């Protein structure tokens, strides 16, 4: 974060052969710095935090060619004023893209037990723009290394304890992916969230509860420190909870914006039925984990409670709440259902306040979605970056 500080215009200019504002490619920036040095023995100039922020804003808008040409001078500015010295990612968005199903082999001792359609992968896409309008600033080539991006993920509670089994004991509590960052010149990062058949990873007897993790997207300008991308913080949950009617349990996966850090409403949530306890029960996860993944219709395997599509989230949550109340067969179960829906109601309110686009959803689409949900109810259908090391990571 910008703090302000002192800048020697003589040192700053060592990498710039021409200070003269009329000729300099950095005319606006030099003006913000107070112009060229007045003399060879001029003392360093002092800048306030607000002045440093104005200077940073100008730097981050510079064309990529100028950022590279004057990198030495700009990095000096960055160190003196604690500001970014290169283009950074802005306007991030998160969307759910598609669902994959893969076959794996669980391990029981040293014996491999194959299981088809045992791994579910929820593929999301994290998108961003460049502060200077050029995603070329995020390239990593032989000629230059631009701004890098990565994820920082850490668990709040142990993923190898109830409601899950110690099968998950190889999952790290805190990690970066990839640790040293990667180029993001397309402005799109594939964000995978995988899980396995619930009955293979939960503890038996079943215990309700959840595992929560935070996911923060970060960036690093050349020779700079890692920083969080503004409005790119999310909360991930996997857990076991009671069914709406109180009879049995379901496994669920949820991803939401971390509200007090990221005001951009996002909510994806799906729940899956839990099968019978497998016999024999696996003792460790397979390696590698990803085998033969294919895109599938997620509604065939689970129940989607929130789509992750910005224009649909509040409406979808409202529909879900109505359906869940209808399913409660008694007063006691209705009370139980309402208590479980407090979080959903809060999400609805937040989404409606945050995104006025919901108000413009056309009635025809809503009727179609309601019809699809009714058909789903009638049939009772159970509706990471790509290079992550799957043998240890489970988010």
């Amino acid at each position: 974060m910008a703090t302000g500080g002192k800048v020697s215009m003589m040192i700053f200019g060592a990498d710039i052969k021409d200070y003269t504002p009329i000729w300099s490619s950095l005319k606006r920036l030099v003006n913000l710095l107070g112009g060229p040095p007045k003399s060879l023995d001029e003392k360093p100039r002092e800048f306030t935090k607000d002045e440093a922020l104005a200077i940073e804003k100008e730097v981050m808008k510079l064309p990529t060619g100028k950022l590279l040409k004057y990198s030495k001078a700009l990095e000096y500015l960055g160190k003196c004023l604690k500001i970014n010295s290169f283009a950074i990612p802005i306007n991030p968005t998160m969307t759910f893209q598609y669902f994959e199903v893969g076959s794996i082999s669980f391990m029981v001792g040293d014996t491999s037990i194959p299981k088809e359609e045992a791994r579910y992968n929820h593929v999301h896409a994290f998108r961003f723009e460049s502060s200077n309008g050029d995603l070329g600033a995020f390239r990593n080539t032989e000629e230059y290394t631009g701004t890098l991006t990565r994820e920082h993920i850490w668990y709040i509670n142990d993923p190898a304890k109830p409601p899950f089994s110690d099968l998950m004991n190889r999952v790290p509590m805190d990690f970066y992916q990839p640790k040293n960052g990667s180029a993001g010149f397309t402005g799109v990062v594939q964000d995978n969230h995988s899980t396995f058949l619930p009955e293979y990873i939960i503890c038996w007897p079943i215990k309700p509860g959840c595992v929560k993790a935070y996911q923060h997207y970060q960036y690093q300008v050349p020779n700079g420190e890692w920083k969080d991308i503004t409005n790119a913080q999310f909360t991930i949950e996997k857990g076991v909870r009671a069914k709406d009617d109180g009879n049995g349990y379901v496994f669920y996966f949820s991803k939401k914006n971390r509200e007090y850090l990221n005001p951009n409403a996002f909510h994806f949530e799906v729940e899956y039925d839990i099968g019978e306890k497998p016999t024999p029960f696996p003792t460790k996860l397979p390696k590698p984990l990803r085998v033969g993944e294919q895109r599938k219709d997620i509604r065939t395997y689970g129940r989607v409670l929130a789509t992750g599509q910005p224009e649909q989230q509040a409406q979808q949550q409202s529909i879900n709440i109505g359906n869940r109340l209808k399913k409660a067969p008694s007063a006691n179960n209705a009370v139980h259902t309402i208590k479980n829906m407090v979080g959903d109601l809060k999400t609805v309110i937040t989404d409606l306040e945050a995104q006025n686009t919901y108000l413009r959803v056309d009635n025809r689409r809503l009727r179609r979605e309601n019809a699809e949900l009714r058909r789903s109810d009638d049939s009772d259908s159970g509706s990471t970056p790509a290079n992550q090391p799957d043998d240890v990571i489970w988010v």
Side-chain angles (χ1 to χ4, degrees):
M1 178 179 289
T3 61
K6 295 181 178 181
V7 175
S8 167
M9 291 302 291
M10 294 302 297
I11 296 177
F12 173 73
D15 193 42
I16 302 176
K17 297 180 180 179
D18 187 357
Y19 290 112
T20 309
I22 295 176
W23 303 108
S24 174
S25 295
L26 303 178
K27 177 179 177 180
R28 288 175 58 87
L29 180 58
V30 171
N31 286 341
L32 287 173
L33 292 167
K38 305 299 189 294
S39 64
L40 294 178
D41 58 353
E42 178 184 283
K43 294 182 179 180
R45 299 174 183 177
E46 190 160 354
F47 297 89
T48 66
K49 178 180 178 180
D50 288 342
E51 290 170 335
L53 287 172
I55 293 168
E56 179 183 54
K57 186 177 181 180
E58 180 61 29
V59 169
M60 295 189 304
K61 294 192 301 183
L62 290 172
T64 304
K66 292 184 179 181
L67 290 171
L68 296 170
K69 182 177 181 180
Y70 302 113
S71 60
K72 183 178 178 181
L74 297 175
E75 287 177 17
Y76 169 72
L77 269 186
K79 291 177 181 178
C80 290
L81 303 179
K82 306 298 183 194
I83 62 174
N84 289 307
S85 58
F86 211 79
I88 70 168
I90 61 171
N91 302 328
T93 61
M94 178 68 67
T95 55
F96 170 68
Q97 296 294 100
Y98 54 88
F99 174 72
E100 293 178 328
V101 175
S103 300
I104 62 174
S105 294
F106 288 101
M107 302 299 294
V108 178
D110 295 327
T111 303
S112 176
I113 300 179
K115 181 69 176 176
E116 294 186 359
E117 298 192 335
R119 182 179 187 272
Y120 298 161
N121 188 25
H122 311 90
V123 181
H124 290 65
F126 176 74
R127 294 179 172 85
F128 61 85
E129 301 172 359
S130 174
S131 60
N132 73 347
D134 177 19
L135 288 170
F138 294 83
R139 287 189 178 277
N140 186 0
T141 67
E142 292 183 359
E143 290 76 21
Y144 72 91
T145 297
T147 299
L148 301 175
T149 61
R150 71 179 184 185
E151 301 173 48
H152 179 200
I153 297 176
W154 69 100
Y155 283 89
I156 304 306
N157 50 329
D158 192 342
K161 291 185 178 180
F164 299 102
S165 72
D166 60 4
L167 188 71
M168 314 309 297
N169 59 14
R170 284 162 48 206
V171 177
M173 291 293 294
D174 191 326
F175 61 93
Y176 298 91
Q177 182 57 37
K179 182 178 180 180
N180 297 320
S182 61
F185 62 91
T186 63
V188 183
V189 178
Q190 182 172 316
D191 185 8
N192 295 329
H193 296 286
S194 63
T195 190
F196 308 99
L197 285 177
E199 55 268 28
Y200 279 79
I201 56 175
I202 64 172
C203 63
W204 293 88
I206 296 176
K207 297 179 181 179
C210 76
V211 169
K212 180 182 290 187
Y214 293 134
Q215 177 191 40
H216 288 201
Y217 274 90
Q218 299 183 321
Y219 70 92
Q220 181 190 50
V221 299
N223 297 314
E225 298 178 351
W226 284 101
K227 301 178 182 179
D228 280 1
I229 299 174
T230 301
N231 298 339
Q233 295 76 32
F234 301 90
T235 299
I236 300 167
E237 282 190 26
K238 292 181 179 179
V240 175
R241 63 190 177 200
K243 290 183 176 180
D244 292 332
D245 60 9
N247 296 319
Y249 298 91
V250 292
F251 167 88
Y252 73 95
F253 163 68
S254 169
K255 180 172 183 173
K256 299 179 182 179
N257 58 302
R258 197 174 175 191
E259 291 183 2
Y260 81 99
L261 292 174
N262 176 8
N264 296 333
F266 176 81
H267 183 197
F268 174 83
E269 186 167 351
V270 60
E271 63 181 22
Y272 300 99
D273 290 331
I274 299 174
E276 297 294 326
K277 181 180 179 180
T279 303
F281 194 76
T283 57
K284 60 182 178 180
L285 295 176
K287 182 181 180 180
L289 299 180
R290 306 175 68 168
V291 179
E293 291 180 337
Q294 295 181 338
R295 293 192 188 187
K296 298 285 187 176
D297 184 344
I298 191 172
R299 293 170 297 180
T300 303
Y301 296 82
R303 289 171 289 279
V304 179
L305 306 180
T307 64
Q309 300 301 319
E311 73 276 8
Q312 297 177 8
Q313 290 178 71
Q315 295 289 352
Q316 186 67 52
Q317 285 285 1
S318 298
I319 292 169
N320 290 338
I321 289 171
N323 286 342
R324 290 165 75 176
L325 281 172
K326 290 177 184 178
K327 291 179 180 179
S330 68
N332 288 337
N333 283 335
V335 171
H336 175 81
T337 300
I338 291 171
K339 287 181 179 179
N340 283 344
M341 294 187 316
V342 170
D344 291 338
L345 289 168
K346 290 180 179 179
T347 301
V348 171
I349 294 170
T350 299
D351 289 350
L352 287 172
E353 290 176 345
Q355 301 201 32
N356 59 15
T357 56
Y358 297 153
L359 301 177
R360 298 194 294 270
V361 176
D362 65 81
N363 290 329
R364 285 182 299 177
R365 184 171 62 187
L366 284 176
R367 286 196 295 269
R368 184 168 64 250
E369 290 177 354
N370 275 318
E372 291 175 355
L373 283 170
R374 284 196 296 272
R375 286 195 296 272
S376 176
D377 290 341
D378 292 340
S379 63
D380 196 27
S381 63
S383 317
T384 335
N387 61 346
Q388 68 183 26
D390 284 299
D391 57 316
V392 296
I393 293 178
W394 178 75
V395 291

